[in-house]
Amino acid sequence: MAHLRPYPAAEKHMTPLDFPGTRVENWQQKGIEKLGEMLHKYRSLQVYMDICVKCGACADKCHYYLGTGDPNNMPVQRAELLRSVYRRYFTPAGKLFPKLVRATDFDETALQKWFTYFHQCSQCRRCSVFCPYGIDTAEISMAAREIMDAIGVGHKYTTEIVGKVHAIGNNLGIPGPALTGTLQFLEDDLLDNTGHEIRLPLDQEGADVLLVAPSADFFSEPHISSLMGYAKVFHQAGISFTISSFASEAANFGMFIGSFAQKQKIAKRIADKARELRVKRIVVGECGHAWRVAYSFWNTLNGPFDFLDPNYPVPQHICEFTHQLNERGALVFDKEANDDLTVTFHDSCNVARASRMGPSAGGQFEIPRALIRATTNKFVEMDADTIRERTFCCGGGGGLLTDELMDLRVRGVLPRITALKRVMEEDGVNYVALICAICKAQFNKMFPMYGIPMEAVGGVHALVNNAIQIGAKRGIV
Amino acid sequence: MLALIAYLALLTFVLGFGWRIWTYWRSPAPLKIPTTPAPVCKSGVVWRLFTEVAFFNSLFKGNKWTWLGGYLFHAALALVLIRHLRYFVQPLPEAFAYIQIAGIVAGLAMVGGLGFLLVRRFWVDRTRYISSFADYAILVLLLAIGISGLLMQFVFRPDIVEIKSAMLGWVTFQGFSTPEDALFVVHFLLVLVLMVIFPFSKLMHLGGIFFSPTRNQVDNPREQKHVNPWAVAE
Ligand code: SF4
Ligand code: SF4
Ligand code: SF4
């Protein structure tokens, strides 16, 4: 069982988030109380605890089940780990006849299973698409994680990162000066390569747009090319923008630990910065879970955003932004610049199943594809069962992109790799475009293990970066 | 005696069902979590829920065989229930003559569908793994109800007039005396058992589906602020 179970959080990771530093004395009782509290706070949890008919339609839909073959990774069985405890303490049947309905005590065994298997769910929501009642195992995993946090049994990777966001402003813990240096370096690079002064401004008050990108975009490959792509789009459109050193992170790991309070607190610093910098729009970079939180939750968490320009949706996705400019004829693309690539698109699960782009349903599928078509000549789709709302997670989402879960990640990516290999062999695909920082990092690491070159993955805006013609201004606004 | 049990069962069913629905109703949905393909307006949501309930859309996407068995059972059950109204309504509208045959065929289909679901649950490794005693028991109970009903239809024909007057007495709260026919009493008792366990079991999916946030929410979080009732006001 190597690398299938996360490291527990230590006291120093837990206390900054107001969680108990170590497992509380009466953890069983506290856990059950917390579950009771959650049932009153989340309709999803309450309803999903009751109505699963165990039809099994979701069972073979989870990439972790397909990859590991572990029955506890069938979404229904994962949910049962919590449900059996729910039945024991909250339903007449479970109180009276625990054996008959498979109700279990909240004991050490149950807790250990929770810790393992609720951290083998990337909250991708694929199971929810196929369930006759829309039962969303992601909601259940989040609830279980929140209960565990409340009794002092945390997950090191995610709690540590949330701590960094509060202390420093981003997940990678990049301090302001380092960020300034990097952006400076990238600007020089852009100048050398294009001959144009393309800016990457930091903390610039009065800019039109606050750009909130995942922090990986500043430092990691292949993320950086997307950042350069965004910068070129802004430059070319003549719209001023700024990055904020304190809100230099789009991702919201509050979702991974299931905590509403943390989600709200992490999101709030972006709203605050937008006010402070007096921007008119907020644009979110290529980050899957970030876009879910921004699109679906921001308004609830910290809205209304009535201090921004009402002509643009809040928040706006960078793909929406670029697509809109392109539709208006503000950008010129040289598709041939990408002619060495045959591209396929991986729908990142949190964009695909939990959030939208543009005004109409399904915009999150069409807009990135439209951008790929606008910037490349060769675009191929993977198997219909593995794209759009049926897409497979990369295997690293939901706070699982950590080294101690390497085996899980390798197995979880398998369904995606299988579909990908097919188009690589049949259609000569050599580039997977996508819009999620976690997916990029995960694929980057996984591809070589499956004999696929590491470079075969990158952002949609990396394609934009290659194809966009700088200088040939057409003028807009 | 039977009348007393019947009223207690009815009471348990009505109160229990109401209590569960009330629980779902009152628990808040703090965030917007509709699953794609999510409608962007209210009428879209109504249509979505209708297709889920009428055609089991998502299940069809998920597993064709389960869909087939499940759909067959539920559609047949709906017809059978409609046909059963003839025992509770007086005078009988003419329309009932026309669904008589359909209702009887549905009775057979219902038992067939249930049998299929039971075999499948046991046969397929994955569903066997997730099934508890209760999951089998509910199927067996439904099967027993169906089979006892079919036996009355095709083999041992009880005195319908007597039964109907008892049922009318039951639902009009005038009380009734236990009908003679033993098979009927068994059939009726099993239905009462089903009514009693209904609110305390997964059968609540009947009401619960309408409260599933991934299915009943409008996808418009940017356009309209969704308020979380328990969030701390900033
Ligand atoms: S598809 Fe839904 S109802 Fe069926 S077993 Fe899975 S969670 Fe339960
Ligand atoms: S949300 Fe995704 S990872 Fe979690 S159980 Fe469902 S399919 Fe599996
Ligand atoms: S990392 Fe990407 S694919 Fe994986 S869970 Fe997040 S959005 Fe989904």
Side-chain angles (χ1 to χ4, degrees):
Chain A
M1 276 272 287
H3 298 112
L4 289 169
R5 202 179 138 85
Y7 293 144
E11 194 161 353
K12 64 171 191 244
H13 308 124
M14 295 288 277
T15 34
L17 311 191
D18 298 327
F19 298 140
T22 49
R23 202 195 293 191
V24 295
E25 191 99 350
N26 49 348
W27 59 273
Q28 284 162 299
Q29 187 199 339
K30 276 267 150 10
I32 294 155
E33 273 167 27
K34 182 74 185 173
L35 173 55
E37 182 194 320
M38 306 275 298
L39 288 167
H40 285 115
K41 282 180 154 181
Y42 289 89
R43 177 182 287 174
S44 52
L45 185 65
Q46 175 63 69
V47 173
Y48 298 158
M49 284 297 102
D50 274 4
I51 68 171
C52 169
V53 297
K54 299 204 231 151
C55 68
C58 60
D60 55 347
K61 302 301 183 286
C62 176
H63 51 290
Y64 291 123
Y65 173 66
L66 295 173
T68 62
D70 184 333
N72 285 310
N73 274 329
M74 296 190 282
V76 41
Q77 186 59 25
R78 192 189 311 286
E80 277 294 307
L81 296 176
L82 177 56
R83 207 178 273 126
S84 55
V85 171
Y86 162 77
R87 276 196 294 263
R88 183 75 184 96
Y89 300 96
F90 295 92
T91 70
K95 284 178 193 167
L96 298 173
F97 324 104
K99 288 256 158 52
L100 300 190
V101 295
R102 278 203 197 161
T104 43
D105 287 339
F106 188 43
D107 55 13
E108 190 63 38
T109 326
L111 179 63
Q112 291 310 325
K113 277 194 181 165
W114 281 25
F115 192 71
T116 304
Y117 292 108
F118 288 121
H119 291 111
Q120 293 197 3
C121 168
S122 60
Q123 309 175 341
C124 78
R125 313 178 89 217
R126 189 169 195 264
C127 44
S128 166
V129 170
F130 300 97
C131 171
Y133 318 113
I135 292 178
D136 181 358
T137 313
E139 287 287 304
I140 297 170
S141 293
M142 284 184 219
R145 291 184 191 184
E146 181 160 11
I147 295 168
M148 288 189 279
D149 284 332
I151 59 173
V153 180
H155 172 205
K156 174 170 174 282
Y157 174 70
T158 43
T159 40
E160 191 176 15
I161 280 181
V162 173
K164 277 189 211 156
V165 171
H166 291 319
I168 302 165
N170 55 59
N171 287 1
L172 294 184
I174 312 165
L179 195 53
T180 316
T182 313
L183 295 179
Q184 185 65 53
F185 174 82
L186 288 175
E187 281 181 352
D188 293 347
D189 223 37
L190 282 164
L191 182 61
D192 287 348
N193 288 332
T194 65
H196 291 266
E197 271 191 45
I198 298 168
R199 307 269 338 271
L200 280 161
L202 191 64
D203 297 323
Q204 204 132 92
E205 237 184 274
D208 286 334
V209 174
L210 171 63
L211 172 72
V212 194
S215 53
D217 283 8
F218 304 120
F219 280 90
S220 315
E221 287 297 348
H223 307 63
I224 270 183
S225 344
S226 283
L227 181 68
M228 305 222 240
Y230 318 151
K232 286 183 184 171
V233 172
F234 280 106
H235 175 88
Q236 189 58 16
I239 299 175
S240 67
F241 79 105
T242 184
I243 294 161
S244 153
S245 52
F246 195 69
S248 51
E249 175 66 66
N252 189 325
F253 274 38
M255 186 162 79
F256 297 164
I257 58 177
S259 156
F260 185 92
Q262 285 297 333
K263 258 187 285 217
Q264 187 163 36
K265 196 169 162 200
I266 296 168
K268 184 167 181 295
R269 68 198 216 298
I270 296 171
D272 289 349
K273 274 293 157 193
R275 266 201 197 87
E276 220 176 287
L277 294 167
R278 294 182 291 106
V279 296
K280 301 194 191 80
R281 298 156 74 173
I282 305 179
V283 171
V284 178
E286 296 181 349
C287 186
H289 298 85
W291 182 238
R292 177 177 190 195
V293 176
Y295 170 85
S296 297
F297 306 156
W298 271 10
N299 210 356
T300 302
L301 296 173
N302 306 107
F305 287 81
D306 43 14
F307 55 95
L308 297 171
D309 185 343
N311 292 319
Y312 299 97
V314 183
Q316 207 174 12
H317 194 279
I318 187 74
C319 285
E320 282 179 307
F321 178 78
T322 305
H323 178 66
Q324 211 173 38
L325 288 168
N326 189 41
E327 294 279 280
R328 283 204 253 157
L331 309 173
V332 181
F333 292 125
D334 169 24
K335 293 185 183 192
E336 263 123 64
N338 282 319
D339 264 355
D340 51 333
L341 305 177
T342 303
V343 180
T344 191
F345 183 63
H346 162 73
D347 291 277
S348 294
C349 42
N350 272 259
V351 179
R353 278 185 286 266
S355 23
R356 183 161 48 95
M357 287 178 206
S360 37
Q364 72 268 50
F365 305 132
E366 304 314 329
I367 289 175
R369 284 175 170 81
L371 275 180
I372 295 174
R373 289 206 175 89
T375 51
T376 63
N377 281 316
K378 289 172 276 178
F379 174 63
V380 176
E381 291 277 19
M382 286 182 275
D383 187 329
D385 256 347
T386 72
I387 55 169
R388 298 179 180 250
E389 77 256 23
R390 296 169 184 228
T391 187
F392 276 112
C393 173
C394 62
L400 310 183
L401 191 78
T402 166
D403 284 348
E404 80 266 20
L405 291 174
M406 197 51 87
D407 283 350
L408 180 74
R409 289 166 54 192
V410 172
R411 296 179 204 188
V413 76
L414 197 66
R416 171 44 79 224
I417 295 278
T418 311
L420 174 61
K421 281 221 158 154
R422 225 173 104 190
V423 287
M424 293 182 90
E425 279 153 24
E426 287 172 12
D427 306 283
V429 164
N430 61 0
Y431 187 87
V432 185
L434 46 85
I435 46 173
C436 174
I438 295 179
C439 301
K440 288 175 198 169
Q442 160 80 345
F443 285 159
N444 207 242
K445 191 112 186 186
M446 295 300 125
F447 278 6
M449 300 190 191
Y450 287 97
I452 301 169
M454 206 185 221
E455 299 73 35
V457 55
V460 167
H461 276 78
L463 299 173
V464 170
N465 181 42
N466 293 341
I468 194 166
Q469 298 297 292
I470 302 293
K473 273 234 158 90
R474 287 189 177 177
I476 55 127
V477 186
Chain B
M1 184 61 190
L2 186 64
L4 181 68
I5 300 175
Y7 281 115
L8 284 178
L10 188 61
L11 193 72
T12 313
F13 175 72
V14 171
L15 290 183
F17 194 84
W19 163 63
R20 287 328 285 159
I21 295 295
W22 167 244
T23 309
Y24 304 153
W25 184 277
R26 125 199 114 168
S27 52
L31 291 165
K32 279 276 177 139
I33 57 165
T35 321
T36 308
V40 294
C41 60
K42 266 229 170 76
S43 45
V45 167
V46 173
W47 175 248
R48 178 183 209 178
L49 279 172
F50 171 76
T51 56
E52 286 296 354
V53 175
F55 309 117
F56 300 7
N57 257 18
S58 298
L59 183 58
F60 186 76
K61 269 190 241 174
N63 189 308
K64 301 283 185 281
W65 286 110
T66 311
W67 179 87
L68 190 71
Y71 199 75
L72 189 65
F73 160 61
H74 282 85
L77 176 66
L79 271 172
V80 167
L81 285 176
I82 293 172
R83 197 194 81 97
H84 270 67
L85 282 177
R86 65 167 39 238
Y87 304 123
F88 299 92
V89 191
Q90 185 71 7
L92 203 59
E94 205 180 317
F96 276 90
Y98 301 108
I99 56 170
Q100 183 65 3
I101 294 292
I104 293 170
V105 174
L108 291 166
M110 181 181 127
V111 169
L114 280 169
F116 177 79
L117 289 177
L118 183 63
V119 170
R120 178 177 183 279
R121 183 169 288 287
F122 185 75
W123 208 265
V124 179
D125 288 343
R126 287 197 296 268
T127 44
R128 187 174 56 240
Y129 187 89
I130 57 179
S131 300
S132 68
F133 173 83
D135 297 310
Y136 291 110
I138 286 175
L139 279 175
V140 170
L141 177 62
L142 285 164
L143 259 177
I145 291 171
I147 290 171
S148 56
L150 287 177
L151 282 177
M152 275 189 281
Q153 179 64 41
F154 292 114
V155 191
F156 313 102
R157 311 208 43 130
D159 181 353
I160 293 294
V161 179
E162 185 197 17
I163 290 174
K164 178 157 182 177
S165 86
M167 291 301 95
L168 273 173
W170 182 40
V171 295
T172 52
F173 297 98
Q174 285 162 352
F176 62 92
S177 51
T178 308
E180 291 279 312
D181 190 76
L183 186 56
F184 166 76
V185 174
V186 169
H187 181 70
F188 188 52
L189 273 173
L190 291 174
V191 173
L192 295 179
V193 171
L194 187 73
M195 286 168 72
V196 170
I197 62 168
F198 200 105
F200 310 103
S201 68
K202 65 178 186 179
L203 296 174
M204 276 312 294
H205 67 274
L206 168 67
I209 178 169
F210 298 100
F211 293 90
S212 172
T214 57
R215 294 291 185 262
N216 76 4
Q217 288 185 337
V218 181
D219 180 23
N220 62 353
R222 286 195 293 193
E223 292 77 14
Q224 214 175 317
K225 180 178 160 115
H226 172 84
V227 179
N228 172 6
W230 52 260
V232 223
E234 289 280 329

